[in-house]
Amino acid sequence: FTTKGYTLVLNCPPVVITGAPPDGIQDQPYTTTLTASGGTAPYTWSVIGSLPTGLTITQMTANTARISGTPTVVQSSTFMVVATDTNLCTGSQGYTIAIGCPPITISPAALADVTQYTAMTPVVFTATGGRAPYVWSIDSATPLPAGLSFNSSTATLSGTPTASVGSYPVTLNLVDASGCPASKTYALGLVCPPVTITPATLPSGSVGSAYNQSLTATLAGSSVPAQTWVWTLDSGTMPAGLSLGSATGVISGTPTVPGTSNIVVPVTNVEGCLGPQAYTTAISSPTI
C-alpha cells in the first residue's frame, strides 16, 4: 500500500472589465458604466490613480459600476479600474478620460452700424459658458477702424470712428479662467454721416441780371476733415442761362427766361456720402 501527496492549486478565473468611458466636458454632467465578468459576483470596485476632478466610481449592481459626477477641471486623467469578486479575484483595466473645454458664447450676436465722425454708443461684450473671469482682446489680424478702441478690462468697444466708410471684420478673443478660448468675428459697418446742404432755399433771380449763389455741404460729426465734393443736377432743369459748377457748388450765370424751376441738387464726397437738396428757383421778368 503506497500513498502520494499532491498540491492542488485553485487559480482565480480571469476577471474582465468592459466599457469605454468617453471624454467629458467641464461643468457638464458625466456618467458611464463599466461591467465586470468572469468571477463571482458581487464585485467591489476601486481606482488606482486619479479620476478627473469631480468624478467618482460607485457600485450599481452586482457586476456593474458607474463613473459619474460633474468634472470641474479641464484635464486628462489616466487611471486603473480594479474589480474584486467575492473570492478576492481581481481584474483591472486602464483608461484615460479627457475633460475638455465647455462651449463659450460671446454676445451680442451682431454689431449695429456706426456712423463716421460720430461717437458710437459703447458696446459691452459678455460671455456665457466657461468660467469667469475672462481675459478679452481684439485679434491683431483684424484691427479696429481708426478712432475706435477696446477696453479689455471692461470688454467695451467705444470711440468716434474716423476711418473710411465701409465694412470692417473685427475678431474678439477671450480666454476663461480655465484657459479655455473662444472667439467671434463681427462685421462692423461704418456708414456715412448726414450731409447738410446750405442754403435751404435759393434766392430769386431776374432776367438779364447776373446770378451767383454758392452751395455748401457739411458732414455731421466731430473732427470732420476737409471734404472734396462733387455737385450734380439730379432732376429738373436749371433756369436758362444758369449752370452749376460741379467742383465749386456755385450756381451762376445770367438768366434769360422768366419762370419757376424745380431742381434736385445732390452732392457726393469721395467716399460716396450723398446729400440731395431740392430747390425751387424763381426767375422774374426784368423791371421796365
Side-chain angles (χ1 to χ4, degrees):
F1 178 81
T2 61
T3 62
K4 184 175 179 62
Y6 291 94
T7 300
L8 178 63
V9 178
L10 186 60
N11 293 321
C12 283
V15 176
V16 178
I17 298 174
T18 57
D23 292 336
I25 300 295
Q26 183 190 38
D27 295 330
Q28 294 186 7
Y30 180 95
T31 184
T32 189
T33 300
L34 302 177
T35 302
S37 61
T40 303
Y43 296 87
T44 57
W45 299 80
S46 60
V47 171
I48 299 175
S50 299
L51 292 169
T53 304
L55 300 186
T56 58
I57 187 168
T58 55
Q59 186 169 348
M60 293 178 62
T61 65
N63 65 333
T64 61
R66 178 172 59 195
I67 297 176
S68 62
T70 300
T72 58
V73 177
V74 176
Q75 63 184 149
S76 181
S77 296
T78 299
F79 54 91
M80 189 80 69
V81 174
V82 179
T84 303
D85 75 355
T86 57
N87 297 315
L88 302 182
C89 295
T90 62
S92 62
Q93 179 65 50
Y95 294 106
T96 297
I97 296 178
I99 303 302
C101 290
I104 300 175
T105 301
I106 298 174
S107 297
L111 295 178
D113 290 342
V114 295
T115 302
Q116 188 184 41
Y117 307 122
T118 301
M120 68 174 290
T121 300
V123 177
V124 179
F125 297 92
T126 59
T128 54
R131 293 193 169 191
Y134 303 99
V135 178
W136 299 84
S137 63
I138 295 292
D139 196 310
S140 59
T142 57
L144 292 172
L148 298 185
S149 62
F150 180 73
N151 187 324
S152 59
S153 298
T154 60
T156 301
L157 176 65
S158 61
T160 300
T162 57
S164 298
V165 170
S167 180
Y168 294 83
V170 175
T171 300
L172 190 63
N173 296 328
L174 70 77
V175 178
D176 79 347
S178 297
C180 294
S183 66
K184 184 175 180 62
T185 298
Y186 294 94
L188 179 61
L190 183 54
V191 299
C192 288
V195 179
T196 301
I197 298 176
T198 56
T201 59
L202 293 177
S204 299
S206 179
V207 171
S209 298
Y211 187 95
N212 188 288
Q213 176 62 54
S214 294
L215 305 181
T216 302
T218 56
L219 286 176
S222 60
S223 303
V224 180
Q227 300 288 308
T228 298
W229 298 98
V230 176
W231 300 82
T232 55
L233 182 63
D234 184 62
S235 65
T237 303
M238 193 72 71
L242 300 185
S243 62
L244 172 66
S246 62
T248 62
V250 175
I251 299 175
S252 60
T254 300
T256 58
V257 178
T260 299
S261 299
N262 294 313
I263 59 174
V264 175
V265 179
V267 63
T268 307
N269 68 1
V270 294
E271 296 189 65
C273 297
L274 176 67
Q277 177 67 53
Y279 288 114
T280 297
T281 57
I283 304 299
S284 60
S285 299
T287 300
I288 300 176

